[in-house]
Every structure is written in structure tokens, then in C-alpha cells.
């Protein structure tokens, strides 16, 4: 491609709402333009990157026997009602009616559609397993679209679905897909980690996320210092604490504690470790057709993990409550204790089951109880894992390493669905005994457009993008410094032809612009290599600028083709 002909509208200005490097650079370097919140146009450079990512995905999917299909983007709302997800997905679903008044939904993911495709078409265990995928635009009316391609409303996803006759076969496929996803990310040149993820209401162990490690990642992941364990903080577990602080022994008693409201104040007042205090987090829990205030209790040294809380209550959503709302049901904000269960449902962290020597609110202004033994309510309250792990907690797998936090960008999610959707949509096959069974399913998502952003989050500097070899829109940029210099033009054109013949994706910067301007542009776009043909050509020398290392090396002009081919390999 000749730069003089290319549609690459670069700019010095970053979008006003751009907080992340990938958003800034993809916009400034002319890869994307914004249409509206969470909606972007992909310009030629972005299309090239997307195609590369898609090709790698397609190759790896073919290797594991998955077949590509393409399902309608517009999906009948009836299917969403059948699975019950029309409520669960809520406002993220963009609904609309056609001219006949039929209700449709723009597909945010395609489980229902894929099950509908397979039901009544695959009817025997003999035709299983089956793995179908597509790479397709999705639409989710995200509450807070942000960070450019990272969290769009319209975005590209590779979504795959597998169908099995047995759980063993699903397990085998899940492992094969994990391996394929790892190969994809390795080939794209990304540093990533596979972590255990929240499995939502479905539960079980078969939910993993692929996280590209980057400081700007929206997800916090807990990783073990000794073993391979890694988990999204939403799902991270820990081993029971080893160094338990000395217990404050006291008989059950009520104490006046004027103005002591926070856990820190409470610990300070009684001179006890927050481990022995009970923290109450009150939330309004929203179900399908009703809502209620639920009190979540964790140790004072812990925090409530909201996704765990959501799963523990099987709710659609959890929102904050005001002090007024608490008073309305007779609870005293700041002094709520887990002993007053007739006023609101209690969900207590498992680590507090049968815990003793506790200090908690006395459900009365300016009073706390000491010497509380939760053993007395162990049969009546709900005990669930609702606490968030802390850095320094012990790994649940090896039991030795300590957990620490790092940030990741979720680029993939693989999930053992079981029969959730096939049962709801009555998609069945006949097993070996001729008995009808719902398909056992897996689902495998990968964020293609999010990957474009993730590459840049991991590979950039202050001057712009640094595409990895597998993702670069063009591998080589040939820079003719002075377009009026015949010798420079001649070498540039020759190298351009030769590289094209060798199948190298190459850009020829033949614009009548200043060298400094063109070089800044090349850095911003982030071609892995720029061949600089400048004044030194008079002495038979040119330079290769390596964008990743930012090192320039001088090469004999005669040898430039070999030298650049050596790098490109
Ligand atoms: P998130 O927690 O980031 O919202 P999710 O759990 O909703 O993601 P999935 O439903 O598992 O995501 O979708 C599969 C993949 O699609 C994700 O791993 C992610 O890479 C990508 N993805 C999801 N939502 C978006 C979005 N709004 N913009 C871009 N990519 C997205
Ligand atoms: Mg989401």
C-alpha cells in the first residue's frame, strides 16, 4: 500500500473521553472512529488487524474440529423468553419490533440461537460431539460503554458452542478448547493467564477466563506465589487462615459504644483485631418480580465480594440501600448485628460459621455486643462464601503460596454449560439406549475487537502502538525521507516491489512530508519495522527501526532486502 493513497486519518488529538492508551492510540493512529457511545467504525488498518486475529482463531478452531457457521444477528425474542434470559439480560438486550409487530433482540451472545439451530437436526448420540462457532458482531447495551474497543456496545466476538452426549466428553472438549485458546493468545504474542472464573448461578468448576495481563485491565485476578492457581477476584477462594490473632475473651455482654460506627473505630475502641469484629453490608437484592433487603455479614478484616453475594442469593442484581430504607424496617445503621434475623434475611460468610468471641452491632444506636458466639444461629442463618480474598491469603490449591493481585483484560471465557439451555429449549438427542436426553453443552467466547485493544494495552509506549508480528496491519513500513531524492525513491520503490513479491505486507511512505512528521506517524501506527531511506544512502547505508525495542540499526543498502527478511521471519 502506498501511504499517499491509504485512508489512515492520523491525528494529534486524542478523544476527550479516552483514558486508556489503546483508546488514545487506536483513535489517533486512524484505526477507529467513534460513531456514538460504544459504537465504532473500523478503518482499513483496524480491519487488517481484525482479519489477522480472525485467521489465527479460524486456524486453531479448524485444528480442534470446530466448524464455522454464521447465525442471524437479529434474533427472535421468543427464543430469549424460552430460555428465560430475556429478564436476566435486562437492559443490555436491545429489543425492537419489525413491521408486523414481532419482537426481536440484537444478539448479545448466541446460546439460544445455536441450540435452536441444532435441535431437531441433530437427533442421535451417533452425531455427537459437535462444535459450532462464528465470528460475528454482537450488541449489548452496556450500562457504561468505555475505553474504546475494550467495552463497546457493538463489538466482535468469536462465540462457539459444543454439544455432547456425556459429561466426560464435554470435559475433554473443554480441555481441548482451553488449549486452543492458549495457542491463539500465544500466537498473537500476548502475555496472559488462564484463571478460574465465576460460574454464576449455574455453579460448578467449569468456568475459566483468559486474561491478558495489563495494568489497565478492568478485572482483578488473584494469583498464587507458589503454584499455577489464578482466579478472578469474583471467584477466588482461599484456605482457612493460619495465623489467627489471639481471641479477645469476654462473656456475652452489651456495651455502650458512643459514635463507634466503622470497623476501624470498633477495633480501636475494644483494642481487638478486626478479625473478631463482624461487618454488615446491607443491600437491596432484586429478583425477577420482587426485591428485599438482605444483610451480608463478613469478618471485619474482610470485604463483601458482590458477585459472590449475587450468586449466594440467586438474584438478578444487587443495589445499595440508604440508611432511611434500613430504618424503615427497624434496623439501626452502623449497629447492625447478625442476631436480629426476623427483620431481614441474613447471609453470613462461611468463615464466620460457629465463630466465637465476636464483637458485633447490638441492633441499637450506640451499642455493640461482645463475646458473641455465632454457633447459636448456625442452623437458621444462610452461610455462604461471600468474602473477597485478600492479598496475603493462603492459596486454596497448594495451601502454601500467598495470593497477590494483578490486573487483567478478559479476552476469553470458556464455560461448561451442562444442560441449562438444552433443557430449557427442549433440545434432545437419543442416547445409546434410545432414551431422549438434553444435549450437554459448552460455550466458548473470545472478544475479537477487545483483543485489538488488549494487544495495544500490553504493547505500546508514549509514542504509540507496537503491534506484535502476528497482529500488525503491515509488517514493514518503507520510509522515503526525501521524496525529491531520486536515489531514495528508486531504492524505496524497488524494495517495495520485492517485499510484495515475497508476500510481506508492506507500506511505502511516499508522501511529500517532513521526515520528522512521517517518523512520528510511523511510531504512532506502530509498524514492527520501518526501513529508513535517508541521506546516508549517499554512503550506501539505510536504517531499520525496530518498533518493539525502538532501536535503529544501520544496514548496507545493498543488503537491505536480506536484512529485513531476516527480521520479518
Ligand atoms: P465482561 O465481564 O468484560 O463484561 P462478559 O463476562 O460479559 O465480559 P462474555 O459474555 O463471557 O463476557 O463474552 C465473551 C467475551 O466477549 C468476553 O470474554 C470479552 O472478551 C468479550 N466481550 C464481552 N463484552 C464485551 C464488550 N462490551 N466489548 C467488547 N468485548 C466484549
Ligand atoms: Mg459483560
Amino acid at each position: 500500500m502506498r501511504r499517499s493513497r491509504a485512508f489512515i486519518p492520523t491525528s494529534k488529538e486524542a478523544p476527550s473521553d479516552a483514558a486508556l492508551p489503546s483508546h488514545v492510540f487506536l483513535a489517533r493512529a486512524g484505526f477507529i472512529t467513534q460513531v456514538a457511545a460504544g459504537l465504532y467504525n473500523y478503518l482499513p488498518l483496524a480491519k487488517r488487524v481484525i482479519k489477522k486475529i480472525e485467521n489465527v482463531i479460524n486456524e486453531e478452531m479448524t485444528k480442534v474440529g470446530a466448524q464455522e457457521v454464521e447465525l442471524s444477528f437479529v434474533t427472535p425474542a421468543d427464543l430469549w423468553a424460552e430460555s428465560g434470559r430475556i429478564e436476566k439480560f435486562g437492559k443490555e438486550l436491545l429489543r425492537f419490533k419489525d413491521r408486523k409487530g414481532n419482537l426481536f433482540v440484537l444478539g448479545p451472545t448466541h446460546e439460544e440461537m445455536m441450540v435452536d439451530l441444532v435441535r431437531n437436526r441433530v437427533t442421535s448420540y451417533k452425531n455427537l460431539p459437535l462444535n459450532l462457532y462464528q465470528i460475528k458482531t454482537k450488541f449489548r447495551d452496556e450500562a457504561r460503554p468505555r475505553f474504546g474497543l475494550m467495552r463497546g456496545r457493538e463489538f466482535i466476538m468469536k462465540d462457539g458452542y459444543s454439544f455432547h452426549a456425556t459429561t466426560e466428553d464435554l470435559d475433554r472438549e473443554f480441555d481441548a478448547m482451553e488449549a486452543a485458546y492458549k495457542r491463539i493468545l500465544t500466537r498473537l504474542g500476548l502475555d496472559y493467564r488462564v484463571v478460574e472464573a465465576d460460574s454464576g448461578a449455574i455453579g460448578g468448576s467449569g468456568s475459566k477466563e483468559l486474561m491478558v495481563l495489563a495494568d489497565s485491565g478492568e478485572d482483578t485476578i488473584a494469583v498464587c506465589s507458589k503454584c499455577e492457581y489464578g482466579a478472578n477476584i469474583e471467584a477466588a477462594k482461599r484456605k482457612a487462615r493460619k495465623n489467627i490473632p489471639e481471641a479477645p475473651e469476654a462473656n456475652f455482654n452489651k456495651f455502650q459504644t458512643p459514635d463507634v460506627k466503622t470497623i476501624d473505630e470498633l477495633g480501636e475502641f475494644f483494642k481487638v483485631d478486626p478479625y473478631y469484629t463482624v461487618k454488615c453490608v446491607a443491600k437491596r437484592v432484586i429478583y425477577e418480580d420482587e426485591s428485599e433487603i438482605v444483610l451480608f455479614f463478613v469478618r471485619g478484616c474482610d470485604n463483601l465480594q458482590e458477585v459472590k453475594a449475587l450468586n449466594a442469593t440467586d438474584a438478578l442484581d444487587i443495589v445499595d440501600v440508604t440508611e432511611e430504607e434500613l430504618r424503615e424496617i427497624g434496623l439501626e445503621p452502623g449497629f447492625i448485628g447478625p442476631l436480629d434475623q426476623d427483620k431481614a434475611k441474613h447471609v453470613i460468610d462461611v468463615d464466620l460459621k460457629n465463630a466465637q468471641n465476636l464483637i458485633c452491632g447490638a441492633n441499637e444506636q450506640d451499642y455493640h455486643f461482645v463475646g458473641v458466639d455465632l454457633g447459636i444461629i448456625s442452623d437458621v442463618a444462610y452461610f455462604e462464601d461471600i468474602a473477597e480474598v485478600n492479598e496475603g491469603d493462603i492459596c486454596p490449591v497448594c495451601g502454601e503460596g500467598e495470593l497477590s493481585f494483578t490486573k487483567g483484560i478478559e479476552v476469553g471465557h470458556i464455560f461448561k454449560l451442562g444442560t441449562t439451555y438444552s433443557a430449557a429449549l427442549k433440545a434432545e438427542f437419543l442416547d445409546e439406549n434410545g432414551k431422549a436426553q438434553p444435549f450437554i453443552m459448552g460455550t466458548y467466547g473470545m472478544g475479537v475487537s477487545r483483543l485489538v485493544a488488549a494487544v495495544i494495552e500490553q504493547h505500546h509506549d508514549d509514542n504509540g502502538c507496537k503491534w506484535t508480528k502476528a497482529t500488525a496491519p503491515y509488517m514493514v513500513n518503507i520510509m522515503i525521507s526525501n521524496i525529491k531524492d531520486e536515489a531514495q525513491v528508486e531504492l524505496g520503490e524497488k524494495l517495495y516491489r520485492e517485499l510484495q513479491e515475497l508476500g510481506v505486507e508492506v507500506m511505502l511512505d511516499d508522501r511529500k512530508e517532513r521526515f520528522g512528521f512521517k517518523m512520528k506517524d510511523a511510531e504512532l501506527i506502530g509498524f514492527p519495522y520501518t526501513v529508513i531511506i535517508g541521506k546516508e544512502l549517499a554512503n550506501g547505508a539505510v536504517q531499520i527501526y525496530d518498533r518493539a525495542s525502538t532501536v535503529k540499526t544501520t544496514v548496507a543498502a545493498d543488503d537491505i532486502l536480506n536484512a529485513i527478511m531476516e527480521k520479518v521471519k
Side-chain angles (χ1 to χ4, degrees), residues 356-516:
Q356 292 172 340
N357 303 308
L358 299 171
I359 298 176
C360 69
N363 300 309
E364 187 181 335
Q365 170 90 37
D366 289 339
Y367 282 94
H368 279 89
F369 289 131
V370 301
V372 175
D373 175 357
L374 284 188
I376 58 169
I377 58 164
S378 63
D379 294 337
V380 285
Y382 298 86
F383 289 90
E384 303 275 356
D385 172 21
I386 53 168
E388 189 161 284
V389 299
N390 298 304
E391 283 194 288
D393 281 347
I394 304 299
C395 172
V397 172
C398 68
E400 286 178 13
E402 286 188 359
L403 299 180
S404 66
F405 294 166
T406 150
K407 290 284 180 186
I409 301 168
E410 180 199 323
V411 296
H413 191 179
I414 58 176
F415 198 105
K416 291 180 191 172
L417 286 174
T419 57
T420 320
Y421 292 92
S422 49
L425 277 84
K426 300 209 174 46
E428 298 180 331
F429 65 97
L430 294 179
D431 69 12
E432 281 178 63
N433 306 316
K435 192 165 169 268
Q437 305 272 11
F439 293 110
I440 297 168
M441 292 180 59
T443 177
Y444 317 94
M446 188 166 255
V448 176
S449 48
R450 183 178 284 183
L451 269 167
V452 176
V455 173
I456 298 309
E457 285 309 317
Q458 212 173 63
H459 301 272
H460 69 270
D461 63 12
D462 290 347
N463 299 325
C465 307
K466 293 181 170 189
W467 295 100
T468 62
K469 284 187 184 179
T471 57
Y474 291 91
M475 185 71 88
V476 178
N477 177 43
I478 303 171
M479 168 94 70
I480 303 173
S481 304
N482 179 2
I483 208 78
K484 289 182 194 137
D485 180 325
E486 268 177 39
Q488 286 185 23
V489 172
E490 199 183 312
L491 178 61
E493 293 280 352
K494 177 166 166 273
L495 186 60
Y496 179 54
R497 270 195 316 276
E498 288 168 340
L499 285 174
Q500 281 179 312
E501 275 161 22
L502 289 167
V504 176
E505 291 166 306
V506 54
M507 177 75 77
L508 177 69
D509 197 341
D510 56 349
R511 291 175 299 171
K512 288 194 191 82
E513 300 282 356
R514 280 181 306 107
F515 171 73

Side-chain angles (χ1 to χ4, degrees), residues 29-59:
F31 284 74
I32 56 170
T33 61
Q34 188 173 25
V35 183
L39 305 181
Y40 291 88
N41 294 322
Y42 304 120
L43 309 194
L45 289 180
K47 275 304 280 183
R48 294 180 72 93
V49 175
I50 290 166
K51 279 198 183 143
K52 300 232 156 144
I53 296 172
E54 290 178 350
N55 285 344
V56 172
I57 293 174
N58 282 326
E59 282 173 24

Side-chain angles (χ1 to χ4, degrees), residues 113-127:
M113 285 285 282
M114 209 56 96
V115 170
D116 184 52
L117 175 69
V118 168
R119 72 174 158 185
N120 301 327
R121 293 194 175 89
V122 176
T123 51
S124 164
Y125 74 97
K126 288 179 204 151
N127 301 322

Side-chain angles (χ1 to χ4, degrees), residues 140 142 149-153 155 157 209 219 410-413 445-447 449-450:
R140 294 183 184 178
E142 297 268 355
L149 298 189
M150 203 67 93
R151 184 170 297 284
R153 290 196 294 165
F155 58 98
M157 200 207 289
E209 285 165 344
D219 286 275
E410 180 199 323
V411 296
H413 191 179
M446 188 166 255
S449 48
R450 183 178 284 183

Side-chain angles (χ1 to χ4, degrees), residues 174 178 192-198 205 207-211 213 219-223 228-233 235 406 408 410 412-414:
F174 186 83
E178 178 179 339
Y192 64 90
R193 187 128 184 178
V194 184
V195 303
E196 284 179 18
D198 164 46
S205 60
S207 177
K208 288 187 178 177
E209 285 165 344
L210 289 100
M211 294 283 182
L213 303 179
D219 286 275
T220 299
I221 54 188
V223 294
E228 284 293 288
Y229 180 73
N232 192 312
I233 189 122
T406 150
E410 180 199 323
H413 191 179
I414 58 176

Side-chain angles (χ1 to χ4, degrees), residues 108-340:
T109 173
H110 269 67
E111 279 81 6
E112 288 81 354
M113 285 285 282
M114 209 56 96
V115 170
D116 184 52
L117 175 69
V118 168
R119 72 174 158 185
N120 301 327
R121 293 194 175 89
V122 176
T123 51
S124 164
Y125 74 97
K126 288 179 204 151
N127 301 322
L128 296 175
L130 180 68
N131 189 333
L132 301 175
Y133 78 96
Q134 61 177 345
I135 298 178
K136 180 98 179 165
T137 297
K138 298 282 179 284
F139 191 92
R140 294 183 184 178
D141 206 350
E142 297 268 355
R144 292 177 61 210
R146 57 190 186 279
F147 307 143
L149 298 189
M150 203 67 93
R151 184 170 297 284
R153 290 196 294 165
E154 191 178 299
F155 58 98
I156 306 170
M157 200 207 289
K158 174 265 163 185
D159 50 324
Y161 309 84
S162 68
F163 300 81
H164 308 270
T166 63
T167 51
E168 292 73 33
D169 197 49
L170 168 62
D171 292 347
R172 176 204 51 73
E173 186 79 3
F174 186 83
D175 292 346
M177 290 302 287
E178 178 179 339
Y181 271 36
K182 285 161 88 170
R183 285 197 301 273
I184 291 166
L185 298 184
T186 302
R187 282 181 62 181
L188 295 179
L190 291 166
D191 186 14
Y192 64 90
R193 187 128 184 178
V194 184
V195 303
E196 284 179 18
D198 164 46
S199 348
I202 297 168
S205 60
S207 177
K208 288 187 178 177
E209 285 165 344
L210 289 100
M211 294 283 182
V212 166
L213 303 179
D215 294 338
S216 60
E218 282 187 272
D219 286 275
T220 299
I221 54 188
V223 294
C224 174
S225 59
K226 286 241 168 85
C227 76
E228 284 293 288
Y229 180 73
N232 192 312
I233 189 122
E234 295 172 351
K237 296 196 173 5
R238 60 184 172 192
K239 220 182 148 186
R241 269 171 80 135
K242 270 188 201 147
N243 305 321
I244 292 176
E246 201 179 323
E249 283 182 28
N251 292 330
F252 183 73
N253 213 333
K254 193 162 96 179
F255 264 89
Q256 196 174 15
T257 52
D259 286 332
V260 172
K261 285 196 170 178
T262 67
I263 289 294
D264 285 345
E265 287 163 358
L266 190 62
E268 189 58 29
F269 186 90
F270 285 105
K271 301 272 175 279
V272 301
D273 192 294
Y275 179 81
Y276 289 103
T277 64
V278 180
K279 188 187 278 179
C280 173
V281 185
K283 294 275 176 189
R284 179 166 293 282
V285 170
I286 321 268
Y287 308 104
E288 218 155 275
D289 3 71
E290 49 171 4
S291 78
E292 67 175 330
I293 291 179
V294 174
L295 306 178
F296 296 95
F297 294 94
V298 294
R299 284 193 188 269
C301 56
D302 287 331
N303 285 310
L304 179 71
Q305 190 356 276
E306 288 209 16
V307 172
K308 289 185 178 181
L310 192 74
N311 292 338
T313 47
D314 226 346
L316 292 181
D317 202 3
I318 286 189
V319 296
D320 290 341
V321 288
T322 60
E323 298 202 344
E324 285 64 50
E325 284 179 274
L326 287 176
R327 289 206 177 91
E328 265 166 36
I329 58 166
L331 289 163
E332 192 48 51
F335 302 92
I336 302 172
L339 299 175
D340 204 351

